[in-house]
Structure formats: C-alpha cells, structure tokens
C-alpha cells in the first residue's frame, strides 16, 4: 500500500472511499490540467501587474489616521486596475463585504429617479435589501431609485426582447450577476457577459454596466471588465483575497464611476484620498498573489465532488464535465440526513473548529432552517472550504472553496465518509 493511501486510511478515510477518489482523480487529470493552465496565466497576470505598478517593500507598512498619501494602498489599487484592465480601482478594507462593495458602487452612481435593471433575473439575496426589492430601512428605494428585471429564458439564454423592453429612459445601471449564487440559473461565462453588455450598450450607450463578479474572479483568463463592463465588483474574502485577506472589497472600472463610488464609501470631497490601510496592505496584496492558484484549488475540488457524487447517482450542478464560470458547486441529495452528513464531513475536515457538529438553525432571512459547515481562518470566508444547505426540498448542498486542493479533496472525501458510516450511501 502506498504511503499516501495509508495516510488517508489513518486520517479517517475508508479504503472504498479512497479508491473511489483515486479513480476520479485519474479520470479528471486532463480537466485539472486545463485549470492549472488558467491559474498559470492568471499568476503571471498578477505578478506582472505588481511589477508594472512598481510594488515595493515600502508599500507593505501602511498608514493610520486619515491615511493621506498611503502609497501602499494606492499601489494595490493600481495593481487591481491592471489585473482587471480598468482605468481605476477602489480596494479597501473599509469595504466590509461583497454586499457593501456592491451597495457602494450602486449608491455612488445612482441618483433619485434612476433605475437599476437586471437582465439575468433576481439579484443576490442580500442585494434585494440594498436595492429595496425587499422593504429594508435605508434601501435605495427610499431614495427614489427603482429596480426592474427580466429572467433568463427557460434554456438559460438571454431574453433579448424582454431586455429591450425593460430598458427605459430612467435606466442608469445594468446589474449583471456573473455567478448564479444560490439561484437555479446557470452561471455566466465572461464571453456571454460580453454579448449581453454589447446588446445593452447598443440600446443605450451611456448605461453603466456593473458586474457582480463574486466567486468568478480568476476562473477564466479574462474578466468581465475586458468585455465592456464599466464596473466589476467583488469581495476580498472570496477568490481575489486568496484566503489571506481578512476583510475587504473591490470596485474596479471607469475612473469616473470608481470616483463616485469612493465619494460614497468615504465622503464627497475626500473620496479615495482617505482610508488608512492600518498595515493590512500586505495581506491584501499577498492574497491577490495567491488568488489564481487558490481559485484553481477550489475549482478542482468542486469538480472532484461533482464527479464522485454523480458517479453515486446524485445530481451535480454544474456537472463534472461542464464548463465552469465560478467556484460554487451544488449537489442535490434529496434527503435531509444526507445533507447533514455532508456538512458534518466538511466540518470534520476543517483546520479550525473541526470538533464542532453543524446543526440546522433558523437563520434570519431564510424561509427554512439552514445547515452550514465552515471551519475557516477568516470568519465566513467562502474561499475557504465551506458548505451550506437549506433544510428543504430538494435537499441540495451548495459548497465552495478550499485554500489548497488537498484540503478540498479531503473535505469532500470526509463528506462521503460520513454518509458511508451512517449507512446512507454504499460505495
Ligand atoms: C457572496 C456574494 C455576494 C455578497 O457578498 P457578501 O460578502 O456575502 O456580502 C453578492 N453576490 C454574489 C453573487 C455573491 O456570491
């Protein structure tokens, strides 16, 4: 028996589970190679951006107080602008999360009477509160900003007629969510987003196209900002933070729009000039440096899980051989015991809080109980291996992340191991 196998067997994995995964990895080797090549290109892209921006040791120290002349912060923003091929970038730890980044980008660029239009269906759950789709104190709706949307067609394609009809004289921002998030529609490729943007700009040239890029960064070798998006927005505790960013968000895009966002994040008149980096620049920059390979690790883990669970008869979205546009993987298990066992396995494989047993709870904002597994270095960081599942039909688990491929693999092995131990699955 080889050394690696005996290591797994002494780490709580049974022989059948090990063998199943070994076989899966063999089948997936070509696919994994393609992902590694994407990571390689993106690694060079990030590296070159750092070099071209003249990133220096002196940039790593940071400022306090107002943060005037924070050269490290400014250099990091230059690097982000180069990576996303945009005129400017706002990359700050004062942006508390992805929702906040999106809220700042929206509120900064909208004025009373303006409308947001989503051509790809519902917006992310938390954004419904920001926009006021769901009545929420302080929402954009309270400032006279309206929202409308149209859904994708049943086959997942864009409903161009509905989009043309949905854009009117008040429409100011088109919000395109790249990842399906926890919705059932497919995630969008950068190429598809490009087609959609061209169509929207063709209807009305001065529309601001904002792409919610959460979970999509570095999955492809180009970003939506390279196919016409005016703003791309995301969270640093997802892909681009590489697991090292302890907090933060980014807004990259046209200079004028980034500036408006900065006036909202800090204050009119001050904008990007203030915002001390407090010594966090090192983690944000180092995280970005790791992001391409971390994203690849998460993606490979997702594909491995899709392959194994499909093999066992469950439905994976996307499937193991489908093209991927984000790092989220859904698997439908159909039974509450199975999603519980899945989450227990992910938790048991975590570096932090591995001794905790996840239990379903009534999370605010959800219409059913939710079970979650996460044992992360950065609280709530979904670039780290994590899973959650609403306790309702069709009993599907959504999971993502994995800072390293071996960890993602072990977590998924443990998820199956728990099911096998409870006699819920035979393999
Ligand atoms: C995670 C996510 C958000 C919100 O980010 P938070 O950091 O959780 O606030 C918005 N949109 C999409 C598609 C996401 O995946």
């Amino acid at each position: 028996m080889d050394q690696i196998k005996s290591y797994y067997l002494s780490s709580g994995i049974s022989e059948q589970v090990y063998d199943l995964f070994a076989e899966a990895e063999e089948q997936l080797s070509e696919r994994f190679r393609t992902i590694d090549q994407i990571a390689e290109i993106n690694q060079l892209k990030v590296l070159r951006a750092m070099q071209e921006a003249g990133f220096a040791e002196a940039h790593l120290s940071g400022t306090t107080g107002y943060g005037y002349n924070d050269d490290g912060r400014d250099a990091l923003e230059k690097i982000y602008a180069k990576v996303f091929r945009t005129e400017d970038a706002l990359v700050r730890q004062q942006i508390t999360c992805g929702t906040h980044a999106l809220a700042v980008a929206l509120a900064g660029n909208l004025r009373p009477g303006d409308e947001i239009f989503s051509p790809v269906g519902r917006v992310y759950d938390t954004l419904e509160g920001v926009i006021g789709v769901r009545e929420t104190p302080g929402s954009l709706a309270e400032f006279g900003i309206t929202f409308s949307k149209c859904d994708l067609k049943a086959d997942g394609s864009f409903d161009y007629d509905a989009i043309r009809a949905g854009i009117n004289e008040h429409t100011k921002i088109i919000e395109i969510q790249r990842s399906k998030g926890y919705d059932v529609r497919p995630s969008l490729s950068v190429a598809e987003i490009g087609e959609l943007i061209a169509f929207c700009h063709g209807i009305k040239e001065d529309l601001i196209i904002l792409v919610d890029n959460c979970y999509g960064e570095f999955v492809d070798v180009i970003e939506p900002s390279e196919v016409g998006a005016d703003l791309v927005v995301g969270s640093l505790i997802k892909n681009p933070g590489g697991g090292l960013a302890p907090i933060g968000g980014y807004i990259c895009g046209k200079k004028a729009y980034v500036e408006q966002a900065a006036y909202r994040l800090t204050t009119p008149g001050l904008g990007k000039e203030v915002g001390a980096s407090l010594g966090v620049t090192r983690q944000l920059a180092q995280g970005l440096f790791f992001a391409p390979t971390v994203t690849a690790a998460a993606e490979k883990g997702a594909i491995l899980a899709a392959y194994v669970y499909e093999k066992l008869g469950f439905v994976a979205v996307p499937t193991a051989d489908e093209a991927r546009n984000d790092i989220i993987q859904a698997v439908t298990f159909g039974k509450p015991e199975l999603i519980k066992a899945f989450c227990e396995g992910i938790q048991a494989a975590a570096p932090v809080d591995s001794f905790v047993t996840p239990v379903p709870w009534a999370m605010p904002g959800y219409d059913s109980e939710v079970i979650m597994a996460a044992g992360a270095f950065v609280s709530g960081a979904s670039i780290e291996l994590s899973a959650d599942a609403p306790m309702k039909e069709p009993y599907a688990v959504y999971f993502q992340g994995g800072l390293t491929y071996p960890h993602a693999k072990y977590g998924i092995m443990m998820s199956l191991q728990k099911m096998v131990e409870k006699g819920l699955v035979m393999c």
Side-chain angles (χ1 to χ4, degrees):
M1 187 165 36
D2 57 39
Q3 193 185 13
I4 191 160
K5 184 165 179 176
S6 64
Y7 226 97
Y8 276 109
L9 299 195
S10 67
S11 304
I13 302 296
S14 65
E15 190 156 8
Q16 306 92 293
V17 170
Y18 176 85
D19 289 343
L20 185 61
F21 276 76
E23 199 266 333
E25 274 185 323
E26 221 156 272
Q27 296 301 317
L28 291 167
S29 61
E30 267 308 300
R31 189 79 206 277
F32 283 6
R33 238 166 60 91
T34 309
I35 290 170
D36 286 336
Q37 285 165 347
I38 291 171
E40 211 168 319
I41 291 171
N42 284 325
Q43 182 72 79
L44 288 180
K45 188 198 280 188
V46 168
L47 189 57
R48 266 160 46 179
M50 290 179 168
Q51 293 169 351
E52 288 167 12
F55 202 47
E57 186 175 1
H59 289 148
L60 300 172
S61 46
T63 58
T64 56
Y66 294 111
Y68 287 122
N69 304 313
D70 188 324
D71 293 335
R73 177 197 69 203
D74 295 349
L76 181 66
E77 290 181 338
K78 212 178 272 173
I79 292 165
Y80 260 79
K82 284 180 186 293
V83 167
F84 286 91
R85 313 262 196 256
T86 54
E87 292 174 6
D88 204 357
L90 184 67
V91 185
R92 300 292 170 106
Q93 76 264 37
Q94 285 85 6
I95 299 176
T96 56
C97 59
T99 305
H100 187 196
L102 288 156
V104 162
L106 288 169
N109 284 286
L110 291 162
R111 296 297 178 266
D114 287 343
E115 184 157 288
I116 306 165
F117 180 73
S118 166
V120 296
R122 285 184 52 201
V123 293
Y124 196 71
D125 206 58
T126 53
L127 268 195
E128 292 193 333
V130 169
I131 294 170
V133 175
R134 198 173 52 239
E135 205 177 301
T136 306
S139 72
L140 295 172
E142 290 190 350
F143 293 87
I145 290 158
T146 53
F147 172 79
S148 83
K149 67 167 176 75
C150 72
D151 290 324
L152 296 177
K153 289 204 208 165
D155 65 359
S157 64
F158 301 124
D159 190 340
Y160 286 119
D161 291 336
I163 295 169
R164 193 180 294 106
I167 294 174
N168 61 50
E169 72 271 27
H170 298 292
T171 312
K172 174 85 173 287
I173 288 185
I174 303 287
E175 132 102 33
I176 302 170
Q177 187 180 309
R178 178 173 175 181
S179 166
K180 67 180 173 303
Y182 303 118
D183 213 335
V184 286
R185 69 163 173 93
S187 294
L188 305 173
S189 70
V190 175
E192 286 166 331
I193 290 172
E195 286 165 30
L196 180 55
I197 292 173
F199 181 80
C200 293
H201 268 153
I203 294 173
K204 199 174 166 188
E205 214 176 324
D206 61 352
L207 287 170
I208 301 172
I209 314 284
L210 183 159
V211 174
D212 174 350
N213 208 23
C214 283
Y215 287 131
E217 300 92 348
F218 302 122
V219 168
D220 201 340
V221 295
I222 53 167
E223 298 292 337
S225 36
E226 292 170 73
V227 294
D230 299 302
L231 286 168
V232 287
V233 181
S235 163
L236 300 194
I237 64 168
K238 293 179 180 170
N239 310 15
L244 291 184
I247 187 171
Y250 74 87
I251 299 169
C252 297
K254 294 246 168 73
K255 194 170 179 56
Y257 304 146
V258 171
E259 193 170 19
Q260 291 292 348
Y263 290 147
R264 173 59 57 147
L265 176 67
T266 67
T267 170
L270 300 182
K272 291 181 72 183
E273 301 298 316
V274 292
S277 59
L278 304 172
V280 175
T281 303
R282 178 194 308 277
Q283 286 149 289
L284 303 193
Q286 199 174 2
L288 178 66
F289 181 76
F290 275 110
T293 50
V294 169
T295 302
E299 232 185 311
K300 287 196 273 186
I303 292 167
L304 182 66
Y307 184 93
V308 167
Y309 283 113
E310 277 178 326
K311 190 124 197 160
L312 293 169
F314 301 107
V315 174
V317 179
T319 63
D321 51 15
E322 246 173 307
R324 299 193 70 89
N325 299 307
D326 60 25
I327 62 166
I328 299 181
Q329 182 65 50
V331 182
T332 300
F333 286 107
K335 284 189 197 147
E337 313 86 68
L338 284 167
I339 60 177
K340 275 193 211 164
F342 183 97
C343 290
E344 284 171 24
I346 296 291
Q347 190 74 37
V352 179
D353 286 342
S354 60
F355 47 84
V356 167
T357 304
V359 290
W361 64 299
M363 200 178 144
Y366 286 80
D367 58 2
S368 68
E369 288 196 319
V370 180
I371 184 166
M372 295 184 165
F377 294 104
V378 172
S379 183
S382 44
I383 187 61
E384 299 190 47
L385 188 61
S386 47
D388 43 79
M391 297 298 294
K392 64 177 183 188
E393 293 283 354
Y395 295 102
V397 159
Y398 297 86
F399 77 95
Q400 64 275 312
L403 295 184
T404 68
Y405 172 70
H407 179 232
K409 174 182 168 185
Y410 181 58
I412 298 150
M413 286 171 111
M414 278 304 265
S415 71
L416 177 58
Q417 186 67 40
K418 293 283 177 192
M419 294 180 193
V420 171
E421 281 168 16
K422 288 169 192 265
L424 299 167
V425 167
M426 303 278 274
C427 77

